[in-house]
Amino acid sequence: MNQLAGSNKMVVPAGPVMLDVVGTVLTAEDIGRIRHPLTGGVILFARNYEDRTQLVALTEAIHAARPGVLIAVDHEGGRVQRFRSDGFTALPAMRRLGELWASDQQAAQRAATAVGFILAAELRACGVDLSFTPVLDLDHGESGVIGDRAFHRDAEVVTQLAKSLNHGLLLAGMANCGKHFPGHGFVQADSHVAIPVDERTLEAILAEDAAPYDWLGLSLSGVMPAHVIYPQVDPAPAGFSKKWLSILRHDMGFEGVIFSDDLSMEGASVAGDVVAGATAALDAGCDMVLICNRPDMADQLLADLNPSLASAASAARIASLMPTAAVIRWDALQADTRYQSALRTVQVLTTP
């Protein structure tokens, strides 16, 4: 165990499970799950937010219950932005950046950096460590669940805009997580409620949808595979596929954290119950598995998952996502000149 600098609190190595909490304050049951040795992260949702004061109190309580635990959220912009009131900036859907690219590539990259900085700075000011962004799926015009969450149809444009957004995150001290490897944009089905199947060949997928993961290289901190089956490559969805995760790790040289998508989603059901799904994902090469919106499943997972699946290598990778740069608290952030400049850029993007 490691000791926090300037603190008497001991940091327990990150376990391979990320789970959620029920409401806006921690219950005794929440605290018990957070303190479980297999827990390494907590993901927040809109139901966990009332205002900034409450959010700060909640993140402080989570970190107090388990020093070093990673607090994450899906906070991309557009229709996927969990915190929207009490000063949080309305972030554009990523397609807006792709549209700007068509007229001014330099302006689009500058805007993407501004969006990343605002996104990360506001979350960090409230105690959130990581956002699951950017979406690297291509906008094939087929997927309703992806849609305007994607930057563009062209893999090269997606790569350039994601790299700029990642730079903005990094300026605010936040890592990133590209999703959904190797690509969710080609299929119509929504993996939350169905099991999408992409019939393309490995060569076709690598040439387009998976290319941003290869091109981004060291600028990617984390990756979340898709709950999509690519039967010409592997009968298992990507997050449960040793072949796909080996392509990511070995062929593309990715060294960051691999997160499973939510194990309670329909797209994960092919792996069996939550324990079987988590076991399959970790065996395939995931470092951390997510279980959301089902505290009963979280309890089952923590009770029955084999502790030997919690590897030291994965724990080290997960710990590397924790911010190390100093955080700028909310009031000071409002006066920060970089924040003010980025805010003006973002507000232009979201003005009707």
Side-chain angles (χ1 to χ4, degrees):
M1 294 190 293
N2 298 317
Q3 188 169 337
L4 287 172
S7 171
N8 292 322
K9 295 181 178 180
M10 300 303 293
V11 178
V12 179
V17 176
M18 176 174 280
L19 43 75
D20 55 9
V21 296
V22 173
T24 55
V25 297
L26 294 185
T27 65
E29 291 77 13
D30 288 327
I31 293 171
R33 295 182 191 108
I34 293 167
R35 288 178 173 170
H36 194 284
L38 290 175
T39 299
V42 175
I43 182 170
L44 300 180
F45 291 91
R47 69 170 184 273
N48 303 124
Y49 179 74
E50 290 178 348
D51 54 43
R52 286 187 291 105
T53 299
Q54 170 271 323
L55 178 60
V56 170
L58 178 61
T59 57
E60 287 179 348
I62 292 169
H63 280 138
R66 181 70 175 273
V69 75
L70 182 72
I71 301 180
V73 67
D74 283 313
H75 200 83
E76 304 166 9
R79 56 195 161 96
V80 182
Q81 180 173 340
R82 303 305 186 201
F83 314 139
R84 296 176 175 271
S85 61
D86 198 17
F88 273 96
T89 301
L91 301 170
M94 295 302 99
R95 180 185 287 169
R96 179 72 184 89
L97 295 168
E99 292 168 347
L100 181 58
W101 177 276
S103 60
D104 190 333
Q105 295 180 10
Q106 298 300 319
Q109 291 179 88
R110 179 174 178 270
T113 301
V115 169
F117 181 77
I118 292 290
L119 185 162
E122 291 183 351
L123 289 178
R124 289 208 60 213
C126 295
V128 179
D129 304 311
L130 177 73
S131 176
F132 288 115
T133 190
V135 170
L136 300 179
D137 301 313
L138 305 190
D139 186 6
H140 288 275
E142 294 292 330
S143 174
V145 71
I146 301 301
D148 65 359
R149 296 166 66 192
F151 289 107
H152 204 273
R153 168 64 179 82
D154 189 312
E156 293 188 16
V157 177
V158 169
T159 301
Q160 292 303 320
L161 291 175
K163 184 178 291 186
S164 295
L165 186 132
N166 287 351
H167 182 56
L169 297 174
L170 185 61
L171 289 172
M174 182 176 283
N176 61 71
C177 181
K179 59 188 185 185
H180 306 83
F181 177 80
H184 199 313
F186 191 78
V187 291
Q188 291 184 349
D190 177 356
S191 56
H192 291 85
V193 296
I195 303 173
V197 177
D198 186 334
E199 297 283 358
R200 291 178 298 165
T201 65
L202 173 63
E203 292 73 22
I205 297 167
L206 292 178
E208 283 205 285
D209 296 63
Y213 295 90
D214 193 11
W215 294 337
L216 283 166
L218 291 175
S219 69
L220 272 183
S221 313
V223 166
M224 180 178 287
H227 283 331
V228 177
I229 297 174
Y230 309 86
Q232 295 204 47
V233 182
D234 193 303
F240 306 101
S241 164
K242 290 183 179 180
K243 182 165 185 178
W244 274 119
L245 299 190
S246 177
I247 288 171
L248 179 63
R249 277 272 186 243
H250 303 298
D251 297 356
M252 297 182 177
F254 176 68
E255 297 184 355
V257 178
I258 302 178
F259 293 92
S260 83
D261 208 340
D262 178 12
L263 294 176
S264 74
M265 291 165 57
E266 183 62 27
S269 64
V270 295
D273 68 14
V274 67
V275 178
T279 301
L282 295 168
D283 279 343
C286 287
D287 296 295
M288 176 169 270
V289 295
L290 274 69
I291 179 64
C292 309
N293 306 308
R294 290 292 303 270
D296 56 326
M297 285 187 175
D299 287 338
Q300 181 186 356
L301 184 57
L302 295 176
D304 295 341
L305 185 66
N306 187 339
S308 69
L309 293 170
S311 76
S314 289
R317 283 193 282 263
I318 294 163
S320 74
L321 296 180
M322 289 295 295
T324 55
V327 63
I328 304 176
R329 296 301 177 187
W330 193 274
D331 290 344
L333 185 63
Q334 307 311 300
D336 183 86
T337 55
R338 289 188 305 171
Y339 177 81
Q340 291 175 345
S341 175
L343 187 59
R344 288 191 292 270
T345 300
V346 173
Q347 288 172 336
V348 169
L349 291 173
T350 55
T351 299

